[in-house]
Amino acid sequence: MDDAPAIRCDLLIEGGRVLDPGQGLDGVMDVAVTAGRISAIGPDLPVSEARRVIDASGPGRYVVPGLIDLHTHVAHGAITPGVGMEGCDPDVIGVGSGVTTLVDAGSVGVANIGVFSAYIQPNARTRVIPFLNIGSFAHTMPTMVDVGSMDEIDPVAIARCVAANPGLVQGIKLRLVGPLIADKGKDVVAAAKAVAREHGVPLMVHIGDLSARRRPDPHLLEPATRFAVEQLDAGDILTHLCTPNHGGVTDAADRMMPALLAARERGVVLDSALGRGNFGYRVAREQRALGLAPDTISSDLTLAGQSFHSLLECMAKFMAVGYDLPDVIRMTTVNAARAIGAAAELGAVAIGREADLTVIDLVEGDFAFTDTAQEVFHGGFGLRPVHTVRAGALVPPGWGTHPWGWLPAPRSGAAS
């Protein structure tokens, strides 16, 4: 008779500091994974009964719910290189970067949304959730403008797409960018909102137009922004909260604050979506002082926009603004899960949940960051991925565009 102990879990993450702000968890404990789900959480779980053990102990190491990036562009292969916003490989900025779930924020419109179910989702280890751009051709257009005329919003075609692809379209995306927005912004917002309401999905609205600075009157975008804020309902998402560009909420900060606070009170999600073009350090710092913290942190990563590499670096930027680690973990786990209507499945370290987990190191140092205006600012912390667990499968992180991985650049002369 074989006296060897029975294997009761496939993976044991041992001795890590589990940090799950959504459930109030913060302490050293083990996490066991069996058949792709979290099967036990607690101190001193039996190592002998685990098929594989990861030592997550040590100063600065945390086990957190699988990170969720609410705003990315991962329609890799669906957009011709050099046209619009080329999509990243989802696994490079996903499981390879400590992120288990990505939302593609409207990279494609109804003309080519099928690329997700046919090509992108089946080939990605990362969970990918597509939002449909309200413009029929979206980022396949040779400009940064998604909707050039009202004719490019086709509710009939969208309805046929939704009916033929159950569960594929999880949201509608609208970018308040381009001459049409300055001319007919309210009409565009109303049309996008009507489509989202018809299909029972959230509307994500991009604010801030970098190209508006070159126009005779860039402030023509402000009425569309204000109208959008007023029209959004519970579950809708206002993205690029901290943009310094025209059409953002900073154009009329004092006048917009009541509308923003009222929107949040209604249940509108305020998302940061940094990207290379929509994060102002001073804007974020002022918003924090005013009590207008983002609900979620997201990256807005595109292949062309990889001046930084991951969601973790975005989180470190918000720590430099003044938020602490539990804040930024909350913004990228439970809050992000709620924003996509998946709080019952994602964003928590809980028994019975699918095992999406991220192990990270909090690294102290003197790190330099750069915002959209090319202003350099400094923070005391960097974040580095150590392990990603996606549906119970262990995925080692890759190493990205920075030679130091996902830590920000150290201040000149400082050790990394």
Side-chain angles (χ1 to χ4, degrees):
M1 184 174 178
D2 189 355
D3 293 330
I7 300 297
R8 297 197 177 177
C9 74
D10 300 314
L11 176 66
L12 182 69
I13 303 174
E14 182 185 27
R17 183 173 172 183
V18 176
L19 177 60
D20 181 351
Q23 298 192 98
L25 291 178
D26 185 359
V28 175
M29 58 192 81
D30 304 335
V31 180
V33 176
T34 306
R37 294 191 174 273
I38 298 172
S39 53
I41 305 167
D44 302 320
L45 297 180
V47 174
S48 62
E49 298 183 359
R51 190 180 303 276
R52 184 170 186 177
V53 178
I54 294 173
D55 182 2
S57 63
R61 184 154 292 180
Y62 292 83
V63 180
V64 305
L67 300 178
I68 301 168
D69 195 337
L70 190 64
H71 186 144
T72 66
H73 294 282
V74 293
H76 185 62
I79 303 171
T80 304
V83 176
M85 302 179 183
E86 300 97 304
C88 297
D89 182 326
D91 286 344
V92 171
I93 68 168
V95 291
S97 303
V99 179
T100 57
T101 300
L102 300 171
V103 174
D104 183 274
S107 297
V108 296
V110 71
N112 55 349
I113 182 68
V115 72
F116 277 94
S117 56
Y119 171 66
I120 294 172
Q121 291 169 320
N123 291 297
R125 300 182 74 177
T126 310
R127 181 188 290 104
V128 178
I129 298 171
F131 278 24
L132 176 71
N133 199 297
I134 195 65
S136 295
F137 307 100
H139 295 173
T140 57
M141 299 295 284
T143 68
M144 293 291 286
V145 177
D146 295 350
V147 183
S149 73
M150 294 300 295
D151 293 339
E152 293 174 17
I153 300 175
D154 191 340
V156 174
I158 292 172
R160 290 174 177 168
C161 170
V162 171
N165 300 274
L168 177 62
V169 176
Q170 296 293 306
I172 299 295
K173 171 68 178 298
L174 166 64
R175 294 174 72 236
L176 294 182
V177 172
L180 183 67
I181 301 303
D183 184 32
K184 295 185 176 181
K186 292 183 179 181
D187 293 339
V188 176
V189 171
K193 182 60 186 170
V195 169
R197 186 179 290 113
E198 177 183 354
H199 300 293
V201 296
L203 173 64
M204 176 186 282
V205 176
H206 163 127
I207 58 172
D209 185 352
L210 179 62
S211 64
R213 297 183 184 278
R214 298 191 294 271
R215 296 185 190 135
D217 187 359
H219 297 284
L220 289 172
L221 296 172
E222 184 183 316
T225 299
R226 175 179 290 278
F227 183 74
V229 171
E230 293 170 348
Q231 294 301 305
L232 295 179
D233 297 320
D236 291 333
I237 302 164
L238 185 76
T239 193
H240 300 310
L241 179 69
C242 308
T243 181
N245 298 323
H246 290 293
V249 296
T250 57
D251 281 357
D254 292 340
R255 299 191 301 278
M256 286 291 289
M257 276 296 292
L260 287 166
L261 294 175
R264 166 172 280 163
E265 189 68 22
R266 291 196 304 275
V268 175
V269 177
L270 304 181
D271 177 50
S272 56
L274 284 70
R276 66 175 177 174
N278 282 289
F279 177 72
Y281 168 67
R282 294 179 186 273
V283 175
R285 191 174 60 182
E286 179 183 356
Q287 288 175 347
R288 181 174 181 270
L290 292 170
L292 191 68
D295 296 305
T296 55
I297 296 172
S298 61
S299 69
D300 192 22
L301 271 165
T302 66
L303 190 62
Q306 284 187 267
S307 55
F308 60 92
H309 194 267
S310 79
L311 179 63
L312 284 171
E313 190 163 341
C314 298
M315 294 160 67
K317 288 179 179 180
F318 273 94
M319 294 184 75
V321 170
Y323 298 96
D324 61 19
L325 184 63
D327 290 332
V328 299
I329 296 297
R330 181 181 296 104
M331 293 171 184
T332 52
T333 57
V334 62
N335 285 9
R338 288 171 182 158
I340 55 175
E345 295 85 32
L346 306 178
V349 182
I351 293 173
R353 293 282 184 103
E354 190 168 54
D356 281 7
L357 301 162
T358 304
V359 182
I360 60 174
D361 281 343
L362 177 67
V363 182
E364 294 190 46
D366 187 359
F367 299 107
F369 301 90
T370 306
D371 73 359
T372 292
Q374 300 302 301
E375 179 177 354
V376 176
F377 58 102
H378 294 270
F381 299 96
L383 295 169
R384 176 169 53 201
V386 179
H387 299 291
T388 309
V389 179
R390 168 72 184 100
L394 185 64
V395 184
W399 291 100
T401 54
H402 295 343
W404 51 87
W406 283 271
L407 292 177
R411 188 196 292 261
S412 179
S416 62

